[in-house]
Amino acid sequence: MALQATEEDILLARRMIGAAERHDVPALKVLLKEGSANVQDPTASVATSPLHAAIASCGKAEEGKEAGDDAIQTVKLLLQNGAIWNDLNREDETPGCIALRLGQKKVYDIMVEAGVRAEILFAKMAALGLGDHTVDVEIEEREEAAEEQPATKKQKVSEEDVKEIPQTMEDPTVLDDVSLDNHAYLKSQLRYKDKILLDSSDNAVMMDWEDQIMRRHAETINPKPGLKVMNVGHGMGLVDTAIQTHNPAEHHIIEAHPQVHQRLRETGWYDKPNVHIHEGRWQDILPKLVEQGIVLDGIYYDTFAEDYAALKEFFAEYVIQLLAKDGVFGWYNGLGADRQICYDVYTKVAEIDLYEAGFDTVWEDINVPAGLHDKKNWEGTRRPYWTIDVYRLPINTFVK
Ligand SMILES: C[S@@+](CC[C@H](N)C(=O)[O-])C[C@H]1O[C@@H](n2cnc3c(N)ncnc32)[C@H](O)[C@@H]1O
């Protein structure tokens, strides 16, 4: 629990923030021996960390204020001393958001690199089972402050939501936001509307503005006559409808939600000659397909209420076993799509992990529809899951 800041703490915070603002590297080096790079002045109107202050004082690049060496050194020094890459000020901006807003490209790139390093480190620590009790306090603080979690599809985890996670994760009746847990989501009531699929917490599971993106994903995963493809997550059926237009020899669909099975039934998917529907979670179905020795020419992944760790498990454990040598793997790239820097960081993290698992990635940039960010498009949904302008579509093949 955070302790009350003493007068001494506040003074140190002000001196540190002042030095960061002036890009005074020597002074900052001295002050960093006395206190953390993440000090905030609780009496300031906009709670600002030294990193926020260092970037904000660069000013707008377009007004000829390109960050100089001192500014770059200041940012690097703070990061080397544990400054949190995605810490938020009271205006809900991370340091990287400020760099982007000011057009400070060099600083923004440094912030993206810092984010990638931090996320890879946290993932490695988690894989090693290094929990809260074994890491030092500063890293603990960082994890707590890391508001944005790498989440697949339309999932954004806010601090408030985290507080709401109850002990019994699987009971949708006690979970205010079912998208926080895959089992809770799968037990929850869905609503199919004209252009949107909603879960019981009003999260948009899928929306029809993604049709163009889904069509392109479908094209990229080899759905040709004679070839076999698989889609995981039917949703509104956009990608599956697009795959069908290419007439593949086999079209496998894995879907876990009973209401989506019902929808698949009502819309005739079970009767299509080349379609094989596997009811259940991919976590349960895929081991069986591997055991049967199934080989696929294309695999697409787009689920809901699953985090980045699930996507990573999907490609690192299963795609490598199920995909043909010349096959293509596609996945919905919605990680952190409500904040540009998070999107850029998680896109890069995924690329690195994919490479480690044996995949090369080619990215295609697709502009999202004009006007998508208008409030009216998101009415009735819990939150807009997409607030940035470009979708980065990944095409993965095995490294040659
Ligand atoms: C975002 S939608 C997919 C949208 C789809 N790409 C389209 O074109 O309409 C996600 C789908 O994944 C399903 N799903 C969620 N978790 C799953 C899991 N673990 N295994 C299989 N399907 C899952 C959901 O029920 C939902 O139908």
Side-chain angles (χ1 to χ4, degrees), residues 15-296:
R15 284 165 65 207
M16 188 112 63
I17 289 166
E21 214 160 26
R22 295 191 306 277
H23 304 145
D24 185 344
V25 175
L28 207 50
K29 277 187 180 162
V30 174
L31 291 165
L32 282 165
K33 289 189 181 132
E34 287 177 52
S36 153
N38 295 305
V39 289
Q40 293 219 350
D41 175 0
T43 61
S45 55
V46 179
T48 296
S49 71
L51 194 51
H52 286 91
I55 298 175
S57 70
C58 290
K60 282 192 182 166
E62 65 181 19
E63 292 169 3
K65 293 177 185 155
E66 191 67 52
D69 276 356
D70 285 350
I72 301 288
Q73 289 317 317
T74 304
V75 168
K76 286 188 174 168
L77 179 67
L78 288 166
L79 289 168
Q80 281 156 8
N81 281 274
I84 300 167
W85 76 272
N86 57 354
D87 199 6
L88 292 173
N89 64 12
R90 276 193 206 130
E91 284 165 345
D92 195 40
E93 282 188 312
T94 69
C97 298
I98 298 177
L100 187 68
R101 174 165 58 73
L102 297 175
Q104 295 290 354
K105 170 94 175 74
K106 246 194 252 170
V107 179
Y108 182 75
D109 289 347
I110 292 172
M111 290 311 305
V112 172
E113 279 165 29
V116 171
R117 276 197 308 273
E119 294 309 306
I120 286 183
L121 176 69
F122 291 145
K124 289 223 153 65
M125 281 167 41
L128 291 170
L130 294 176
D132 284 353
H133 303 297
T134 47
V135 292
D136 66 33
V137 173
E138 188 149 289
I139 288 179
E140 256 183 57
E141 279 170 3
R142 284 211 222 180
E143 283 181 323
E144 280 164 18
E147 179 251 6
E148 304 287 344
Q149 301 289 320
T152 56
K153 202 63 191 176
K154 296 90 197 188
Q155 185 190 28
K156 177 171 178 281
V157 183
S158 73
E159 235 169 70
E160 270 166 41
D161 292 327
V162 172
K163 282 185 208 132
E164 285 168 9
I165 299 179
Q167 294 293 312
T168 50
M169 293 285 288
E170 297 191 10
D171 184 352
T173 56
V174 291
L175 200 55
D176 175 59
D177 182 352
V178 294
S179 76
L180 293 173
D181 179 69
N182 192 246
H183 293 280
Y185 158 75
L186 292 172
K187 286 181 182 172
S188 79
Q189 201 62 26
L190 302 185
R191 278 161 297 152
Y192 275 100
K193 296 198 172 177
D194 189 20
K195 295 177 173 182
I196 189 168
L197 171 60
L198 290 159
D199 70 12
S200 60
S201 309
D202 293 331
N203 292 296
V205 178
M206 186 64 187
M207 289 170 84
D208 80 338
W209 66 265
E210 296 192 44
D211 193 36
Q212 185 206 354
I213 290 170
M214 291 300 134
R215 283 169 198 259
R216 184 61 195 139
H217 269 303
E219 279 168 3
T220 62
I221 60 154
N222 274 334
K224 302 181 184 123
L227 299 188
K228 303 174 186 174
V229 298
M230 178 173 80
N231 170 44
V232 179
H234 179 70
M236 290 172 65
L238 304 180
V239 84
D240 285 317
T241 302
I243 289 171
Q244 276 295 292
T245 63
H246 299 279
N247 204 18
E250 286 181 25
H251 176 177
H252 296 261
I253 300 173
I254 300 183
E255 173 55 52
H257 201 293
Q259 274 178 273
V260 184
H261 301 150
Q262 179 64 22
R263 176 82 169 190
L264 280 156
R265 227 162 252 119
E266 286 163 6
T267 46
W269 281 89
Y270 284 82
D271 309 323
K272 295 188 197 288
N274 59 349
V275 171
H276 306 263
I277 295 171
H278 308 265
E279 294 184 3
R281 297 178 77 226
W282 60 262
Q283 290 87 342
D284 300 321
I285 307 279
L286 292 184
K288 293 177 196 154
L289 299 188
V290 169
E291 220 175 272
Q292 290 164 24
I294 289 197
V295 176
L296 299 153

